[in-house]
């Protein structure tokens, strides 16, 4: 089969498409014919050896996949030909991939493979951030940094689906603002001067921050009393610091959001999230924003688009 592999830690340009063996599922795994694979920030970090989990070279990146079951254990709920989404860990940038049966979920017939591949990692992260770590209550206002990307658009939709009040998007360009509005944001503001614009709208109760960098302090200043800033990631590259007197004086919190680290050792957690999100996916309230699709051989360009922050919505690879 064809697979796009990381052969050196020199960035996306060092990816190579290779012929490799179809993976053999181990006990408790399914084999999936991949129809679409989501592109995520960890995939980019893998190409430079910067992700916390290391794998021996060469290896195939790609955690988020959607496709059809080729093989499943007889004691599972899956059969050959079933449409599914899965969290594979690695191996998704290929024609076939394996995943643990507990990380595989049925894809509704009215949802495309492209949308499926763009769905669970982003929406699972957003749900964990807002509902579990952020304890969002109905009517609370939410500010989303990096709102034109995959995590950002998912956070907007999850906030709205679970009864948030006003949702404000922070974006770097009007084009990304339009994507955020399409995802359901009530307002968008540009990065330059966003703090004053948000405060003029009344401030917010929760900030979802997947960007970090120099936006962090002004995000804290946007919070009302008892507000929570949810740290999802650092796509800006710089890991910010906080002077804790800001938290004390304003009675606000900075909350870490490590979805994978939390869900991994907790049996049943991922399944419970899927059950909570599925009705909203089936109804169309949650609509993954697929911004661009790339052929497998163009995976390097897909990752570069993510690295250069040119992505609008979620990027998907079609093997």
């Amino acid at each position: 089969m064809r697979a796009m592999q990381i052969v050196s830690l020199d960035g996306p340009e060092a990816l190579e498409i290779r012929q490799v063996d179809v993976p053999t599922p181990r006990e408790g795994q399914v084999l999936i014919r991949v129809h679409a694979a989501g592109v995520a920030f960890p995939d980019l970090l893998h190409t430079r050896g910067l992700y916390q989990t290391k794998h021996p070279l060469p290896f195939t990146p790609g955690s988020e996949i959607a496709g059809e079951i080729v093989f499943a254990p007889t004691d599972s709920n899956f059969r050959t030909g079933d449409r599914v989404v899965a969290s594979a860990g690695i191996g998704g940038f290929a024609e076939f991939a394996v995943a643990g049966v507990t990380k595989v979920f049925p894809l509704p017939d009215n949802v495309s493979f492209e949308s499926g591949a763009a769905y669970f990692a982003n929406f699972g992260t957003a749900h964990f951030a807002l509902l579990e770590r952020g304890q969002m209550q109905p009517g609370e206002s939410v500010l989303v940094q990096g709102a034109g990307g995959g995590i950002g658009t998912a956070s907007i939709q999850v906030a709205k689906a679970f009864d948030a009040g006003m949702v404000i998007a922070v974006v770097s360009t009007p084009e990304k603002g339009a994507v955020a509005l399409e995802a359901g944001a009530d307002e968008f503001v540009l990065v330059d001067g966003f703090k004053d614009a948000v405060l003029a709208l009344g401030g917010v109760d929760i900030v979802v921050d997947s960007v970090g960098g120099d936006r962090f302090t002004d995000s804290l200043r946007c919070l009302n009393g008892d507000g929570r800033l949810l740290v999802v990631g650092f796509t800006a590259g710089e890991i910010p610091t906080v002077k804790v007197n800001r938290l004390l004086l304003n009675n606000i919190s900075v909350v870490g959001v490590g979805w994978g680290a939390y869900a991994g050792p907790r049996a049943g957690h991922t399944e419970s999230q899927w059950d909570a999100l599925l009705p909203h996916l089936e109804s169309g309230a949650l609509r993954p924003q697929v911004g661009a699709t790339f052929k497998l051989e163009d995976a390097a360009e897909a990752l570069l688009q993510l690295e250069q922050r040119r992505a609008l919505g979620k990027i998907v690879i079609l093997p």
Side-chain angles (χ1 to χ4, degrees):
M1 71 170 187
R2 296 184 312 141
M4 183 60 81
Q5 294 205 307
I6 297 173
V7 298
S8 69
L9 302 179
D10 298 312
E13 297 93 337
L15 287 169
E16 288 185 10
I17 193 156
R18 293 183 162 193
Q19 287 288 334
V20 301
D21 292 337
V22 173
T24 301
R26 301 192 302 271
E27 183 178 355
Q29 289 187 323
V30 303
L31 177 64
I32 298 169
R33 182 186 298 275
V34 179
H35 287 271
V39 178
F41 200 67
D43 300 320
L44 176 62
L45 295 178
H46 275 310
T47 69
R48 302 192 185 280
L50 299 176
Y51 195 60
Q52 56 260 40
T53 303
K54 312 296 184 184
H55 301 280
L57 298 175
F59 72 94
T60 303
S63 173
E64 310 165 48
I65 60 176
E68 294 177 290
I69 294 286
V70 176
F71 166 84
T74 55
D75 59 353
S76 75
N77 293 322
F78 298 106
R79 298 292 179 266
T80 300
D82 284 353
R83 304 173 77 251
V84 295
V85 298
S87 177
I90 59 172
F93 291 3
E95 293 177 311
F96 296 87
V98 293
V101 70
T102 61
K103 302 294 186 182
V104 181
F105 304 95
L107 182 64
D109 289 340
N110 64 331
V111 180
S112 69
F113 289 119
E114 291 89 340
S115 292
Y119 179 63
F120 195 49
N122 285 348
F123 284 83
T125 297
H127 178 269
F128 177 64
L130 286 162
L131 277 299
E132 296 191 55
R133 300 295 289 149
Q135 293 293 297
M136 186 187 78
Q137 300 301 307
E140 286 194 311
S141 53
V142 177
L143 177 70
V144 179
Q145 293 282 3
I151 291 287
T153 53
S155 297
I156 291 167
Q157 291 189 30
V158 169
K160 283 297 189 182
F162 288 86
D163 301 322
M166 175 174 283
V167 176
I168 304 170
V170 180
V171 293
S172 57
T173 67
E175 184 181 17
K176 291 182 178 181
V179 171
L181 292 178
E182 184 181 352
D186 297 291
E187 303 274 354
F188 80 83
V189 297
L190 296 177
V191 171
D192 291 340
F194 78 86
K195 172 181 71 71
D196 292 339
V198 173
L199 291 176
L201 292 168
V204 293
D205 301 305
I206 296 176
V207 175
V208 181
D209 185 8
S210 60
V211 178
D214 57 8
R215 303 186 191 189
F216 186 82
T217 298
D218 276 349
S219 288
L220 286 176
R221 291 171 173 151
C222 291
L223 287 172
N224 298 323
D226 295 322
R228 290 85 78 199
L229 190 153
L230 309 178
V231 180
V232 178
F234 314 104
T235 59
E238 179 187 346
I239 298 176
T241 57
V242 57
K243 294 183 177 180
V244 295
N245 65 309
R246 295 186 185 278
L247 313 183
L248 183 153
L249 294 173
N250 297 314
N251 291 295
I252 57 178
S253 304
V254 175
V255 182
V257 179
W259 179 52
Y262 186 91
R266 290 171 171 81
H269 180 268
T270 306
E271 291 91 333
S272 67
Q273 280 194 284
W274 178 264
D275 291 342
L277 290 166
L278 182 59
H280 301 286
L281 176 65
E282 290 177 322
S283 72
L286 299 181
R287 296 168 288 100
Q289 305 289 111
V290 178
T293 58
F294 290 84
K295 295 179 180 178
L296 183 61
E297 53 267 32
D298 298 324
E301 174 56 31
L303 287 167
L304 285 170
Q305 193 171 108
L306 188 65
E307 183 174 55
Q308 296 163 5
R309 301 179 69 177
R310 292 184 282 125
L312 299 174
K314 182 74 169 181
I315 300 174
V316 172
I317 289 172
L318 305 178

